[in-house]
């Protein structure tokens, strides 16, 4: 039995389904169902008695304590967060509340639960905190990829709130010995990512014949990882990671945003030739304030410590992702009604 938080979002839902598909034990899934969380993401687990969904907030310590006492998990995996940099620029308060205060409340509840466990369960318990490469700040073109020893230098309110949560996790290990694991992962892509992030936004806009907005010169670099590879890395860290340690996760697939958008346009040209060339929709728009130029992850510690390797190449993962969105336009329609339109107006209207 494990407790997952944020398991109705993009990575969390992929992880829960991956976990269940592997024939493992039950999962209690605590999710607030913000705009980014969607019960439909877990449709494949609807009939599975091992999946228990609870709508609730990680910042509500009472709820978390009740769940821990009732289900007695062997591990907690924390995905719950506000996750979009652009939203953190328009409204940082929710990021401070969930990512910092929420992680603190979760850690407090877990610490009390863990302290009272019998010795063997106490020993094997793990708190896995899912974090981001953005805590390290921005790399120059010729710098080597981030290692776990890199000093934190978060630049957006999102990155700062994730950095703060990482520091709290570190302190709970150092002060009380809580068996924590922290993973810092690069940009993910794949099925069920909310279409506010670059890759699904471009696919959805292209399908509707809308412009494909590229911030600034499009030369910013991200290190892309297919979400299933992130899930397999998290499993390896749970199984073989050393308590108190931090592991970087990445796809070793650095691409500029323009390369990503052109690759998507090319795949769409093949799958939807009537609309080709999709690249004609690319539009350069005003840059994101404080836009980090480049992220890249050095994953040698994870690979040597756990034997993990990513299996998906960027090109094949991107093709699978485009195919998933084209096959699931009902899902897209459901998540892009109402609040989403307001977000699009707010973020793109004045650019
Ligand atoms: P997401 O925005 O798709 O999903 C977040 C989920 O958390 C949603 O289901 C939402 O309802 C839930 N949630 C938000 N606030 C909550 C609260 N207070 N209590 C309970 N649930 C709450 O995010 P994602 O892309 O799946 O990211 C998951 C985690 O991975 C985040 O911690 C994020 O910082 C981290 N991460 C994401 C990426 C990426 O590329 N997406 C990369 C590295 C790390
Ligand atoms: P995003 O998917 O928001 O992830 P992050 O900011 O966490 O890296 O953005 C990925 C890159 O794409 C980033 O450099 C910003 C850029 N971008 C655009 O150019 N246009 C867009 O509409 C969006 C959402 C992002």
């Amino acid at each position: 039995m494990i407790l997952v938080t944020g398991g109705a979002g993009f990575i969390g839902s992929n992880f829960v389904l991956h976990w269940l598909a592997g024939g493992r034990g039950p999962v209690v899934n605590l999710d607030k169902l913000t705009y980014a969380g969607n019960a439909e993401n877990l449709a494949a687990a609807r009939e599975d008695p091992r999946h228990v969904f609870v709508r609730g907030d990680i910042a509500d310590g009472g709820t978390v304590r009740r769940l821990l006492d009732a289900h007695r998990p062997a591990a907690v995996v924390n995905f719950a967060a506000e996750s979009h940099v652009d939203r953190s620029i328009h409204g940082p308060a929710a990021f401070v509340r969930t990512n910092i205060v929420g992680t603190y409340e979760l850690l407090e509840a877990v610490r009390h639960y863990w302290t009272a466990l019998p010795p063997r369960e106490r020993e094997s318990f793990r708190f896995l905190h899912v974090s981001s490469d953005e805590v390290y700040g921005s790399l120059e073109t010729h710098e080597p990829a981030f290692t776990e020893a890199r000093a934190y230098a978060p630049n957006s309110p999102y990155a700062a709130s994730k950095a703060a949560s990482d520091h709290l996790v570190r302190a709970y290990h150092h002060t009380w010995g809580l068996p924590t694991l922290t993973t810092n992962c690069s940009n993910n892509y794949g099925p069920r990512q909310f279409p506010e992030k670059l890759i699904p936004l471009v696919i959805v806009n292209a399908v509707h014949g809308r412009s494909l907005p590229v911030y600034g010169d499009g030369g910013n670099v991200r290190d892309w990882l297919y979400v299933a590879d992130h899930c397999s890395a998290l499993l390896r860290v749970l199984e073989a990671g050393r308590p108190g340690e931090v592991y970087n996760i990445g796809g070793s697939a650095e691409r500029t945003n323009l390369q990503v958008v052109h690759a998507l346009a090319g795949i769409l040209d093949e799958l939807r030739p009537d609309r080709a060339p999709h690249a004609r929709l690319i539009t350069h728009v005003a840059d994101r304030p404080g836009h980090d130029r480049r992220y890249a992850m050095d994953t040698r510690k994870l690979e040597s410590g756990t034997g993990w390797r990513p299996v998906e190449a960027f090109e094949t993962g991107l093709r699978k992702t485009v195919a998933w969105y084209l096959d699931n336009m009902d899902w897209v329609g459901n998540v892009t009604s109402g609040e989403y339109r307001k977000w699009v107006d707010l973020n793109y209207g004045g650019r």
Side-chain angles (χ1 to χ4, degrees):
M1 158 72 70
I2 60 166
L3 171 64
V4 165
T5 72
F10 164 49
I11 304 172
S13 66
N14 276 283
F15 181 82
V16 167
L17 298 181
H18 190 91
W19 174 276
L20 294 172
R24 298 179 183 83
V27 184
V28 178
N29 185 350
L30 173 66
D31 195 297
K32 190 177 170 183
L33 295 182
T34 67
Y35 77 92
N38 182 356
E40 229 189 291
N41 289 345
L42 297 155
R46 204 166 278 145
E47 306 296 322
D48 194 325
R50 292 172 301 159
H51 181 240
V52 179
F53 184 79
V54 179
R55 186 172 190 177
D57 189 338
I58 57 163
D60 173 1
T63 295
V64 178
R65 275 195 296 277
R66 275 192 297 281
L67 284 178
L68 292 169
D69 289 341
H71 296 283
R72 311 199 59 77
V76 172
V77 186
N78 182 29
F79 294 96
E82 291 292 335
S83 67
H84 189 33
V85 172
D86 291 316
R87 287 189 192 249
S88 81
I89 295 168
H90 287 280
F95 290 73
V96 171
R97 188 180 176 282
T98 285
N99 299 2
I100 305 178
V101 180
T103 303
Y104 155 73
E105 290 287 355
L106 184 64
L107 280 166
E108 269 298 274
V110 168
R111 175 169 77 86
H112 286 290
Y113 163 73
W114 170 76
T115 304
L117 284 176
R120 277 180 56 168
E121 291 166 39
R122 220 175 112 91
E123 176 99 358
S124 59
F125 181 82
R126 296 289 182 269
F127 179 89
L128 170 52
H129 179 60
V130 179
S131 192
S132 163
D133 56 0
E134 307 198 19
V135 300
Y136 298 124
S138 185
L139 282 168
E140 300 293 336
T141 313
H142 302 295
E143 274 186 284
F146 295 129
T147 68
E148 292 80 0
R150 178 89 178 193
Y152 273 36
N155 288 322
S156 70
Y158 163 68
S161 67
K162 291 299 288 187
S165 67
D166 294 6
H167 291 325
L168 284 168
V169 172
R170 176 190 159 89
Y172 274 66
H173 173 74
H174 194 79
T175 305
W176 290 288
L178 187 70
T180 61
L181 298 158
T182 298
T183 55
N184 293 90
C185 189
S186 64
N187 285 61
N188 283 217
Y189 68 100
R192 295 186 294 279
Q193 185 168 32
F194 194 77
E196 63 187 355
K197 306 279 167 59
L198 179 68
I199 288 177
L201 180 108
V202 164
I203 299 168
V204 170
N205 279 14
V207 167
H208 290 114
R210 296 194 288 254
S211 68
L212 312 180
V214 172
Y215 297 165
D217 65 3
N220 304 67
V221 173
R222 299 293 183 262
D223 173 359
W224 294 96
L225 181 69
Y226 192 62
V227 65
D229 281 326
H230 188 185
C231 294
S232 69
L234 294 174
L235 283 181
R236 287 305 298 142
V237 170
L238 265 182
E239 289 158 359
R242 287 184 37 220
E245 293 291 324
V246 174
Y247 296 90
N248 283 353
I249 308 175
S252 301
E254 288 186 58
R255 299 287 186 282
T256 66
N257 293 338
L258 266 181
Q259 285 174 322
V260 171
V261 176
H262 277 289
L264 288 167
I267 296 169
L268 285 159
D269 288 349
E270 281 176 38
L271 299 178
R272 292 276 167 100
D274 49 314
R275 300 279 188 91
H278 290 83
R280 78 193 140 75
L281 299 169
I282 293 174
T283 311
H284 287 267
V285 299
D287 209 350
R288 172 188 281 172
H291 196 175
D292 283 338
R293 193 67 183 168
R294 175 176 165 239
Y295 307 135
M297 287 305 233
D298 183 327
T299 58
R300 281 176 294 179
K301 179 177 172 182
L302 174 69
E303 293 182 13
S304 61
T306 72
W308 174 82
R309 295 273 184 292
V311 296
E312 196 70 58
F314 183 65
E315 287 65 29
T316 54
L318 209 56
R319 199 167 277 276
K320 285 184 187 171
T321 304
V322 174
W324 186 87
Y325 280 88
L326 295 182
D327 288 346
N328 289 276
M329 286 309 284
D330 288 352
W331 179 95
V332 172
N334 291 340
V335 303
T336 55
S337 58
E339 194 275 347
Y340 182 77
R341 302 229 170 87
K342 286 191 206 136
W343 165 250
V344 169
D345 288 345
L346 180 67
N347 193 46
Y348 298 96
R351 277 198 140 96

